[in-house]
Amino acid sequence: MAQLGVNVAGGGWIPVSVLSDLGVRVVRIVAYPSINDFGYLEQLRQAGIRRWLVLASESFSGFPSWGAAIDEYNRRYGGHIDVWQLGNEPDQPGPSSWSMSPQDFTGLLWTGRDRLPGKYLVAGGLHSGNPSWLNNVNLDWVNGIAVHPYGQLPPGQYDPSWYFGHVNNLLNNYRNYLNSSGRGDKHMHVSEWGGPVQDWDWDENRHGAYIGYMSKFFRGTSLVGDSIMFCAHDSMVSQFGLMRSDWSKRPAWHEYQATCRGWW
């Protein structure tokens, strides 16, 4: 059964009490050179919420090397991080992706393992839906991979028709690939999933139903460990949030809370 979580902006933007009320067990944050989240991470730890730290392209700005950046974040946060995620969507170009060649991505993963011995490392979330992109990536340096199943529907759902497929099929494709390529020991997680309200014809109730169906699938599946919804608040990306910019709660909040707390 997956542990459900949510992506949040750095800097303590979302009070930990709000996340505890939501009922999530995992929080994912992108590391920024200019933001020190030590205090916020300590609050999350005290609340019993697991912490993912993402080292994305913006995390390395101003550092002379990947290794120097990783050393600095390890100095800042040390044992406050449960999962270190290296990279973000290397397999596909996009405004929020850090596109890399498989060789460069391997170099990032190796650097992470070299600088973070003994830590739980996850390769940056794959977005293309093409597991074979990993053919030339050495996963020896990480404990697991992550997938970003945007555009996927929960099993049995067929609305809207322009979505790309079903999430259970996508995850099974990645698991089968790992097993067949001799890397079946790698854990699999979902570090982002979700969708904007406009994808549902601006109908927040339909958007909320989607979040509910998907979260129930993740809570019940054994295919992944952590499953982290994107995102808690519209401050990260407009119309994706469980909360609107004025902090009011969308129907999606209540659907997700019901699943996180087992109320359905």
Side-chain angles (χ1 to χ4, degrees), residues 52-194:
W52 280 56
L53 189 71
V54 187
L55 302 183
S57 58
E58 53 266 44
S59 307
F60 295 91
S61 178
F63 288 100
S65 66
W66 290 340
I70 295 171
D71 287 346
E72 170 58 18
Y73 294 122
N74 193 30
R75 183 195 66 79
R76 288 185 193 181
Y77 305 129
H80 279 67
I81 304 302
D82 296 293
V83 177
W84 296 78
Q85 186 168 28
L86 302 167
N88 187 61
E89 299 180 356
D91 58 334
Q92 182 165 302
S96 300
S97 303
W98 185 12
S99 304
M100 308 177 80
S101 70
Q103 293 74 23
D104 286 344
F105 190 48
T106 293
L108 178 64
L109 302 184
W110 179 88
T111 304
R113 177 54 68 205
D114 180 61
R115 300 303 177 113
L116 298 167
K119 304 292 188 179
Y120 190 93
L121 305 185
V122 170
L126 303 170
H127 183 51
S128 67
N130 177 23
S132 63
W133 187 86
L134 291 168
N135 283 347
N136 296 311
V137 175
N138 188 338
L139 296 179
D140 289 349
W141 318 118
V142 296
N143 302 90
I145 70 165
V147 181
H148 291 177
Y150 287 114
Q152 301 292 311
L153 293 169
Q157 298 296 309
Y158 296 95
D159 180 28
S161 60
W162 51 263
Y163 265 45
F164 310 129
H166 288 91
V167 63
N168 52 318
N169 295 332
L170 179 79
L171 295 177
N172 273 309
N173 287 342
Y174 276 98
R175 173 46 62 196
N176 291 337
Y177 172 83
L178 291 173
N179 290 340
S180 65
S181 62
R183 294 179 278 188
D185 61 323
K186 302 303 174 185
H187 302 152
M188 192 162 64
H189 304 276
V190 170
S191 51
E192 290 182 26
W193 68 272

Side-chain angles (χ1 to χ4, degrees), residues 204-246:
E204 291 197 344
N205 288 319
R206 291 176 65 210
H207 171 257
Y210 169 74
I211 298 300
Y213 283 126
M214 284 286 280
S215 60
K216 290 177 178 63
F217 165 76
F218 285 126
R219 177 152 182 167
T221 187
S222 60
L223 286 169
V224 297
D226 292 344
S227 170
I228 311 173
M229 185 263 171
F230 190 92
C231 55
H233 190 276
D234 272 359
S235 59
M236 292 195 76
V237 178
S238 179
Q239 302 300 323
F240 272 78
L242 296 172
M243 291 179 282
R244 306 178 187 92
S245 58
D246 64 358

